[in-house]
Amino acid sequence: MPPPNYQVSQWNMPHFNFKWIWRGIFVFFVILTLLSCYSSVPADSVGVLLRFGKFKDIVQPGLVFKLPLGIDQIVRVEVQRQLKLEFGFSTPGATNDDQIPREPEAEQSMVTGDLNMALVEWVVQYRIEDPKQYLFHVHSPALTLRDASESAMREVVGDRTVDEVLTIGRQEIENETLLRLQGLSKQYGLGISVMQVQLKDVHPPRNVQSSFNEVNQAQQEKEQMINVANGEYNKVVPRARGEADQKIRGAEGYALGRVNQAQGDADRFSALLAEYLKAPEVTRERMYLETMTEILPQFERKVIIDDSVSQLLPLLNLDTKAKAK
């Protein structure tokens, strides 16, 4: 049986127009070039313009024109944002990679001036002041600032006793560390302005925490008792002083009155003596009458008799006196 006759059909191959393909590539390249000529800088940042990787200029926030195809690059630096570094602890969700401590336990362990241990946690807040210095003068300026902060804090804490570090010396430690850190930042040329150093938590090692709490509680009770005693002292002592001053003033007034009265009696006696010497009889009679004038009104009953009366009883009405009682 003869084989069937198959008719072979030829597929028509499509004809590609390479001219349009090249035109599309050219248009895409032009659009890409135009898009790379512009960049935007946020309001809280400035742009550092780099040409072939070398510093060219500082551009302000907004839309910025630059040479395309990677000739110019814009590096955004957040100069208006306040950044911070944490030492001895970490806040969850931190957006700044340099903020997270590398070894929290090692950073917070410090030796005080009296050879005691203290666990210190603190925060350094800073801003980028000079973008050019920040990018090109020092490699990893934030890490350099972290090392300088740890060094300054250890030096300040090492000059004080553990009691000062844990209680009364916190503000002084913050201020001195801030001054030293600002000086180191300028000396190293970090392009950073250190705004604040704040102690977050300062406590003794955990194995002596309970003992320290007991000592601290005893000190607080001591201060409370001292304050109560001072309050009682301030309440009682001024009152006693006031009463003493009042009695002293009263005694002085009484003494002055007695002296003036005695002086008046002496002056009166001197004047009376002078008159008596002038007329003794008249003066004696006058003194007698004045004395009787003062004495007689003090008696309830007055009986005046003559010298010739021999018996006084008949003249006294005893029944009347008894009835009056």
Side-chain angles (χ1 to χ4, degrees):
M1 182 175 181
N5 296 326
Y6 291 98
Q7 185 178 0
V8 179
S9 61
Q10 295 181 354
W11 294 88
N12 294 326
M13 299 296 294
H15 178 70
F16 292 98
N17 193 342
F18 291 98
K19 180 179 181 181
W20 290 103
I21 294 177
W22 287 110
R23 287 180 180 179
I25 294 175
F26 177 76
V27 171
F28 176 77
F29 180 77
V30 171
I31 294 174
L32 183 64
T33 302
L34 293 176
L35 292 176
S36 64
C37 289
Y38 293 94
S39 180
S40 61
V41 179
D44 61 346
S45 307
V46 295
V48 179
L49 179 61
L50 305 179
R51 182 161 296 170
F52 295 110
K54 184 178 180 180
F55 174 79
K56 179 64 177 178
D57 196 7
I58 300 292
V59 295
Q60 298 303 317
L63 192 62
V64 181
F65 175 79
K66 62 184 182 68
L67 298 179
L69 303 177
I71 298 175
D72 286 350
Q73 294 180 356
I74 301 293
V75 180
R76 299 176 182 85
V77 181
E78 298 173 335
V79 295
Q80 299 297 331
R81 182 181 176 185
Q82 184 165 316
L83 306 172
K84 70 176 180 178
L85 300 176
E86 296 174 342
F87 297 84
F89 72 103
S90 60
T91 302
T95 57
N96 184 10
D97 295 335
D98 298 324
Q99 175 179 332
I100 303 174
R102 294 165 293 186
E103 298 179 357
E105 296 183 358
E107 287 180 348
Q108 66 179 202
S109 299
M110 296 188 182
V111 180
T112 60
D114 53 356
L115 301 180
N116 286 305
M117 290 292 297
L119 303 180
V120 183
E121 298 176 0
W122 75 99
V123 173
V124 175
Q125 297 182 357
Y126 67 97
R127 291 172 57 184
I128 301 174
E129 185 177 31
D130 190 337
K132 182 180 179 181
Q133 273 193 343
Y134 182 79
L135 292 177
F136 300 106
H137 193 268
V138 176
H139 179 68
S140 299
L143 296 180
T144 303
L145 179 63
R146 173 176 286 278
D147 294 336
S149 302
E150 185 176 352
S151 174
M153 181 62 71
R154 290 186 181 278
E155 185 176 359
V156 174
V157 171
D159 292 337
R160 286 161 177 79
T161 63
V162 66
D163 292 335
E164 293 176 339
V165 175
L166 297 176
T167 55
I168 61 176
R170 295 172 61 95
Q171 186 65 40
E172 184 179 355
I173 291 174
E174 292 176 350
N175 296 335
E176 188 171 348
T177 304
L178 176 61
L179 294 177
R180 295 193 181 191
L181 193 54
Q182 289 175 343
L184 291 175
S185 177
K186 292 182 180 179
Q187 179 181 353
Y188 297 158
L190 301 179
I192 290 175
S193 175
V194 182
M195 311 298 296
Q196 185 181 14
V197 175
Q198 182 181 7
L199 292 177
K200 300 297 291 184
D201 189 13
V202 181
H203 53 272
R206 294 176 178 83
N207 53 354
V208 296
Q209 182 71 43
S210 59
S211 300
F212 175 79
N213 291 336
E214 293 177 358
V215 173
N216 191 22
Q217 183 178 0
Q219 291 179 349
Q220 292 178 357
E221 293 177 355
K222 174 185 174 182
E223 294 295 332
Q224 183 179 2
M225 296 179 66
I226 291 175
N227 293 333
V228 171
N230 289 333
E232 292 295 329
Y233 174 85
N234 294 330
K235 181 173 65 176
V236 174
V237 172
R239 182 175 60 187
R241 288 177 178 174
E243 293 176 355
D245 292 338
Q246 181 180 2
K247 291 183 178 180
I248 291 174
R249 298 294 182 272
E252 291 176 350
Y254 177 77
L256 182 61
R258 294 289 295 175
V259 170
N260 291 336
Q261 183 179 358
Q263 185 66 36
D265 293 341
D267 294 340
R268 179 174 176 274
F269 180 79
S270 298
L272 186 62
L273 178 63
E275 297 297 330
Y276 178 80
L277 294 177
K278 292 179 181 179
E281 296 296 333
V282 176
T283 303
R284 186 182 299 111
E285 185 176 356
R286 178 184 174 186
M287 292 175 60
Y288 175 78
L289 294 176
E290 290 179 353
T291 303
M292 296 305 295
T293 302
E294 294 178 359
I295 294 175
L296 290 178
Q298 300 178 5
F299 296 101
E300 296 180 358
R301 300 178 63 188
K302 305 174 184 62
V303 178
I304 301 175
I305 61 175
D306 190 75
D307 295 338
S308 61
V309 176
S310 60
Q311 292 183 358
L312 180 63
L313 292 177
L315 299 177
L316 298 176
N317 191 357
L318 298 178
D319 296 338
T320 304
K321 186 175 181 181
K323 291 180 181 179
K325 291 182 179 180

